[in-house]
Amino acid sequence: MQLPNQWLWDMVDEFVYQFQSFCQYRAKMKSKTEQEIALLKQFDQAWNVYGVLNYLQALVEKSMIIQILEQEKEGLEQFTATDGYDYNGGSNVLKVLGYFSMVGLLRVHCLLGDYHTGLKCLLPIDITQQGVFTSVIGSHITTIYHYGFANLMMRRYVEAIREFNKILLYIYKTKQYHQKSPQYEQILKKNEQMYALLAICLSLCPQVKLVDEAVNSQLREKYGEKMLRMQRYDDEAFALYDELFSYACPKFITPSAPSYEEPLVNYNQDAYRLQLKLFLYEVKQQQLLSGVRTFLKVYSTMSLGKLATYMEVDELTLRTILMTYKHKTHSVDSDGKIISNADFDFYIDDDMIHVVESKPAKQYGDYFLRQIVKLEGVMNDMDRIKLD
């Protein structure tokens, strides 16, 4: 049996959505009737989190999808090239369900706040390339949204920016083809949320060179003013980080059964408040670093004493701040290697700070292609004009 990828994605997507909705419903205890509470007590194992994870994991294992993707890299198997369909008389159902279950696992782990495990579940899929996940728009957006969000929470800002940029550019170019799709509203909502997440990433890690011109102009239009205020790291900036995070984050869940003791309270927001608190704590730690960055961007060499005077701290505190800067601009990637998120580096030699700025290779191709298309448009318009 062959089933369309869209249907198979919808099965996994709906399964995770039902679990998420049930957890949200169960956590709103205040408005529950006695009958509802009795039912929840009776079926306390309904939508158990281990059951949900086990189903998804079982689909991944039974489908042998990880081995299939490994064999495909060695040229022994065809999966991505046929969009997961089997043209040799076999079935695509189990293989593609297993494939989409890896995306489902990433989503569930993100909802639980376990970003490391979520990203680990997605490792067999190379998301830098076209794959079966890109064959369905809903799957494509869900994968990159959760992948980018997990990387943001793990301080891998460059990776998050790179993937958000690619998907936002893709949506920007193709959204008109999805206007009649029942998922159109969902596509637009996720699009807006990912712009908000990109604004957060670029405020914490100003790597604008990684963002395409079209995406950047859309971003400036939506969040340009807010991003300038977010650079200041005062109370207003924290309020903006709070606002954008709250708007763009997934609907986190508390998977454990509720307390049935009186008085009954709603705790459906508890998981979200915890993640927000962790995120704002991280933002607060970056507060001092914005000052360091501003000064180091201006100088190529500078004495520790001079920078300490500018920042109104003593030299010992400054060394601590510089070590913090080094720590906060580096993170560990999925292979366990330490990677840098900074657009420049520095080292200290004999109480002198030496700044090394990485010069990006300028890409002129896109600019010329856009101008050629514009010129062709103008020439076509001129050809239509009939002169007397």
Side-chain angles (χ1 to χ4, degrees), residues 36-257:
E36 283 178 306
I37 291 168
L39 277 169
L40 284 173
K41 280 182 180 173
Q42 187 184 346
F43 300 104
D44 60 342
Q45 290 302 304
W47 287 104
N48 179 296
V49 64
Y50 296 114
V52 171
L53 291 168
N54 285 340
Y55 271 120
L56 293 169
Q57 189 58 43
L59 281 168
V60 172
E61 286 172 11
K62 292 273 191 293
S63 65
M64 311 268 291
I65 188 62
I66 294 173
Q67 292 87 325
I68 289 169
L69 291 172
E70 281 296 320
Q71 287 177 329
E72 186 176 45
K73 283 177 193 166
E74 294 163 20
L76 303 171
E77 186 84 47
Q78 270 204 331
F79 180 76
T80 309
T82 61
D83 275 345
Y85 294 106
D86 193 322
Y87 296 112
N88 299 319
S91 168
N92 72 325
V93 175
L94 188 57
K95 285 190 283 189
V96 177
L97 274 177
Y99 182 92
F100 285 139
S101 291
M102 291 192 278
V103 179
L105 283 166
L106 165 69
R107 185 171 157 195
V108 172
H109 285 300
C110 277
L111 296 175
L112 298 170
D114 185 357
Y115 308 108
H116 182 265
T117 307
L119 290 172
K120 213 170 163 188
C121 292
L122 200 70
L123 270 181
I125 300 174
D126 182 2
I127 66 150
T128 61
Q129 304 293 326
Q130 292 283 313
V132 176
F133 74 97
T134 60
S135 66
V136 179
I137 185 73
S139 145
H140 192 179
I141 290 172
T142 300
T143 305
I144 303 300
Y145 168 76
H146 289 95
Y147 178 84
F149 185 81
N151 276 302
L152 162 63
M153 294 300 276
M154 292 182 71
R155 296 208 329 268
R156 298 175 188 167
Y157 303 119
V158 168
E159 186 59 26
I161 291 167
R162 199 174 279 129
E163 291 308 321
F164 281 142
N165 171 60
K166 281 200 301 202
I167 186 78
L168 289 168
L169 187 62
Y170 174 76
I171 296 170
Y172 176 74
K173 288 177 176 174
T174 62
K175 67 180 173 191
Q176 69 268 27
Y177 305 122
H178 298 285
Q179 282 176 347
K180 291 195 174 123
S181 161
Q183 294 175 314
Y184 187 60
E185 277 183 30
Q186 182 67 6
I187 291 169
L188 292 185
K189 188 189 173 189
K190 278 281 174 269
N191 185 53
E192 292 302 314
Q193 285 181 313
M194 286 191 285
Y195 269 112
L197 291 174
L198 183 59
I200 290 172
C201 289
L202 288 171
S203 299
L204 292 170
C205 171
Q207 293 264 33
V208 184
K209 65 175 186 282
L210 297 173
V211 181
D212 189 89
E213 208 174 295
V215 173
N216 199 22
S217 67
Q218 291 277 310
L219 183 68
R220 297 290 155 206
E221 207 175 288
K222 294 172 195 291
Y223 294 111
E225 192 192 326
K226 284 184 178 177
M227 284 172 74
L228 282 173
R229 280 158 38 205
M230 282 157 81
Q231 294 293 326
R232 291 206 297 260
Y233 288 94
D234 51 15
D235 287 344
E236 188 192 2
F238 284 122
L240 286 170
Y241 276 109
D242 186 329
E243 178 196 318
L244 291 189
F245 183 87
S246 303
Y247 168 68
C249 70
K251 286 184 179 170
F252 298 108
I253 54 173
T254 305
S256 53

Side-chain angles (χ1 to χ4, degrees), residues 285-331:
Q285 288 182 335
Q286 305 242 4
Q287 191 168 12
L288 273 173
L289 308 185
S290 62
V292 174
R293 197 175 180 284
T294 309
F295 290 120
L296 292 181
K297 286 286 277 184
V298 180
Y299 293 88
S300 55
T301 52
M302 188 186 200
S303 69
L304 277 171
K306 193 174 179 183
L307 183 56
T309 311
Y310 282 155
M311 294 194 67
E312 298 171 4
V313 292
D314 58 63
E315 280 195 31
L316 201 63
T317 309
L318 178 64
R319 282 180 183 273
T320 310
I321 293 169
L322 290 173
M323 280 300 287
T324 309
Y325 184 86
K326 281 277 189 188
H327 168 64
K328 288 294 174 193
T329 53
H330 286 75
S331 55

